[in-house]
Structure formats: structure tokens, C-alpha cells
């Protein structure tokens, strides 16, 4: 059973505004780290708030572990909220000690005595702040504040942890530390962590499932080959111009600003062979990376393109860094947004 299943979801912040989110279908499975990526304003926080049950959809359905949260009885939503640990983008700490901040949710739920102390300590241990219990809230760095907020959510023993850009305002060392903490939580507690980040490398490093949002839509292809530019008309068809390169596109959506090319649709060739592909771009290999089950080849042809090929193709082509080759891309493979 899926953790979340979204059907025909829209969310609008006002009656006459365009939807901040419009997701026809999305499934999130249980376990591991799920990364939500996308530029500012793409809808990451809105989606997290909907998943946390803090916002109600304007239309459509969200199923949590098979139960329809949107059409179901209210107590279902309340029960679901008990499973969620939520850390919003700028965590707010109460003007008291770290310990009391972490115990806050437990106190609110009537957990008292030894049980409260034990769960508070265990949460502080999980985030590496076991000796910080008595510190006042104002004697903490930005990264420590994030970790206290994380401990506060963990103390409630959530099944799902929703984190909104927890790494946005911390230094590189803290970011690595937080990443390690999250990975350990996955191993030791077996929970699902859904985290938003605009750091693409981080998403690739952490995420079992990467969901990319663009202007409220889920982009299908993942993170590779997302280009910004505009659609233009030439005598022989419509093309997309990024400023650094151009390629033919299907002719709908003249006002598109983003073009996405799924990496498995980009073919590599050593000669500019006769092909039905409309786009034949000459480029240079800039990266070869083994992935599970496939090889990712980066090619600079004005922009950097990423192609996914098999190991057999890698050998057959004899690819090396710095080698010149051709990218073959069908116009129909380009998705416009
Ligand atoms: P992200 O977290 O990816 O930066 P958000 O979910 O915050 O994106 O925002 C998605 C869209 O919804 C943006 O266009 C934003 O301006 C709009 N939006 C977000 N919060 C509000 C709000 N409280 N009122 C009106 N519009 C909002
Ligand atoms: Mg946000």
C-alpha cells in the first residue's frame, strides 16, 4: 500500500488565483527519503502542508495509507496528523530550554514523567545534541536550531517526517551533519522522510524518490535536462532557444518557458547519421557516471545534456571524457512547460 496517493489535486490560495499546485496523479511509497525539489514558488511548501494535513485541497483527493483524507471523516485526518512529524521552513523555538522545546509536543499530548524524559533524551541523541538539554533557546546556532526542531518532531515518534527546506540556511558542515542524521533515522527508525530542498545535488545524494515541481506541476523526468528559454518559430518548424543552444520541439505551447528532455530519450552517436530525429547536436563528453542499472553520460552541446544508456552501449561506443559525439533527440521527446 502506498504512503500517499494523490488524484486530481489542486490548491488555490484565493478564489480567482491560478492554482499554486495542480497534480493529476502522484504516488509516494513508504520508507526512505523522498526529495521535493523545484525553484522558489514552485509549490514545495504547499505540497508539504497538504500532505501534513495543514491545508485542505481545493479539489481532488489525497489518500494516506489507503484512506481518503479528503472525503473521509474528520477524525481520520486527526489520526493521520498523529503519524506526522513536521518541521516548517523557519522553525520557531519557545523562549525556554532546549529540553522543554523538544518535550513540547509530548506535554501537549499528555505524555508525562519518565516516559517524557526518555523520549526527549532519545530525540536529542538522534540529532547529536544530547548535552544541550539545559541550554536556553537563544544560545544556539542556526544549525542547532534546526536540529532542536527536528528533535521536537522526532520526540513524537512519527511514522512520517515532513521537512521544509531544513538545509536552506545552514553552512556546508551542518548540511552534511543533517544529511547523516536523516540517513541514520531511515536505518534505525524505518520512517519515511519527505524533505524539500532546492539543492539538486543534495536531492540526488539523498533521495530514493525525487519529485521535481515546476510552477505547481510535477515534472516527470526527474532533475536532468531542464532548460529555461523560449519557443521560437523558424521556417522549418518550432524550436526552443536557451541562449546557449536550440532544438526543435513539438509545435504546441508557444508560451512555454521550460523544456525538459528525459535522459533515456537522448541517443548518442559517433557520426551524424541519417536519422528520424530532428535534432542532431554536436557535443563533447563531460561526465560518465555509473548508476544502478544504467550509465549517465553528460555531454556539453551549448547546454549540458544528460543521456542514460546501457553499459553495453557505453562499451560499443567506446566513450571517453572529452570525446566528440552527436546527440540525437526527437522533437517529440521534448516536453514543454
Ligand atoms: P515553494 O515552497 O516551492 O517556494 P510555495 O508552495 O511556497 O512554493 O508557493 C507556491 C505558490 O503559491 C507561489 O506562487 C506562491 O507565491 C503562492 N503562495 C504561497 N503561499 C501563499 C499564500 N499564503 N498566499 C498566497 N499565495 C501563496
Ligand atoms: Mg517553500
Amino acid at each position: 500500500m502506498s504512503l500517499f496517493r494523490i488524484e486530481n489535486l489542486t490548491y488555490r490560495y484565493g478564489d480567482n488565483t491560478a492554482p499554486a499546485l495542480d497534480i493529476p496523479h502522484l504516488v509516494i511509497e513508504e520508507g526512505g527519503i523522498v526529495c521535493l525539489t523545484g525553484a522558489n514558488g514552485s509549490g514545495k511548501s504547499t505540497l508539504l502542508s497538504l500532505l501534513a494535513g495543514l491545508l485542505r485541497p481545493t479539489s481532488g483527493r489525497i489518500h494516506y495509507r489507503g484512506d481518503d483524507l479528503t472525503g473521509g471523516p474528520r477524525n481520520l485526518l486527526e489520526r493521520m496528523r498523529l503519524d506526522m512529524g513536521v518541521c516548517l521552513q523557519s522553525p520557531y523555538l519557545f523562549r525556554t530550554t532546549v529540553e522543554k522545546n523538544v518535550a513540547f509536543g509530548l506535554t501537549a499530548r499528555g505524555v508525562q514523567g519518565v516516559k517524557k524524559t526518555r523520549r526527549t533524551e532519545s530525540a536529542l541523541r538522534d540529532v547529536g545534541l544530547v548535552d544541550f538539554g539545559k541550554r536556553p533557546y537563544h544560545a544556539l546556532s542556526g544549525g542547532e536550531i534546526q536540529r532542536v526542531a527536528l528533535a521536537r518532531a522526532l520526540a513524537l515518534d512519527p511514522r512520517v517526517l515532513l521537512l521544509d527546506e531544513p538545509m536552506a540556511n545552514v553552512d556546508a558542515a551542518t548540511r552534511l551533519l543533517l544529511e547523516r542524521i536523516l540517513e541514520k533515522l531511515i536505518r534505525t527508525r524505518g520512517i519515511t522522510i519527505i524533505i524539500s530542498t532546492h539543492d539538486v545535488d543534495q536531492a540526488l545524494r539523498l533521495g530514493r524518490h525525487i519529485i521535481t515541481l515546476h510552477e505547481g506541476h510535477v515534472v516527470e523526468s526527474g532533475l536532468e535536462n531542464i532548460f529555461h528559454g523560449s519557443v521560437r518559430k523558424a521556417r522549418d518548424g518550432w524550436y526552443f532557444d536557451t541562449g546557449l543552444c536550440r532544438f526543435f520541439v513539438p509545435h504546441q505551447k508557444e508560451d512555454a518557458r521550460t523544456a525538459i528532455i528525459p535522459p533515456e530519450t537522448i541517443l548518442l552517436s559517433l557520426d551524424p547519421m541519417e536519422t528520424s530525429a530532428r535534432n542532431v547536436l554536436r557535443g563533447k563528453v563531460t561526465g560518465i557516471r555509473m548508476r544502478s542499472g544504467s550509465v549517465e553520460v553528460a555531454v556539453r552541446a551549448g547546454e549540458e545534456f544528460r543521456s542514460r544508456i546501457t553499459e553495453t552501449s557505453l562499451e560499443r561506443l567506446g566513450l571517453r571524457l572529452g570525446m566528440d559525439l552527436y546527440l540525437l533527440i526527437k522533437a517529440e521527446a521534448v516536453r514543454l512547460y
Side-chain angles (χ1 to χ4, degrees), residues 42-114:
S42 59
K44 302 182 294 297
S45 298
T46 307
L47 179 54
L48 283 173
S49 302
L50 285 157
L51 295 179
L54 302 173
L55 292 176
R56 307 274 280 171
T58 304
S59 66
R61 308 216 164 278
I62 300 178
H63 296 262
Y64 173 67
R65 297 173 58 78
D67 291 324
D68 182 356
L69 291 179
T70 30
R74 275 219 158 251
N75 65 2
L76 190 65
L77 191 65
E78 278 154 26
R79 216 169 352 111
M80 185 277 284
R81 281 202 196 121
L82 292 179
D83 282 358
M84 305 283 154
V86 183
C87 276
L88 298 176
Q89 198 155 356
S90 321
Y92 178 82
L93 295 190
F94 302 103
R95 299 172 163 226
T96 174
T97 61
V98 163
E99 199 171 68
K100 287 200 175 131
N101 265 287
V102 174
F104 171 79
L106 293 170
T107 312
R109 288 180 196 190
V111 179
Q112 292 296 341
V114 185

Side-chain angles (χ1 to χ4, degrees), residues 277-307:
R278 291 223 50 201
N279 296 295
V280 181
L281 305 178
R282 189 180 158 82
K284 217 178 240 323
V285 177
T286 51
I288 300 174
R289 193 148 45 143
M290 305 307 279
R291 294 285 193 98
S292 60
S294 66
V295 182
E296 186 187 87
V297 182
V299 177
R300 177 155 297 283
E303 298 282 353
E304 183 153 280
F305 291 80
R306 285 170 198 274
S307 162

Side-chain angles (χ1 to χ4, degrees), residues 232-239 246 248 278:
R232 298 180 191 283
K233 188 166 171 41
R235 196 171 303 156
D236 48 351
W238 294 88
Y239 63 91
R246 52 173 66 176
F248 285 105
R278 291 223 50 201

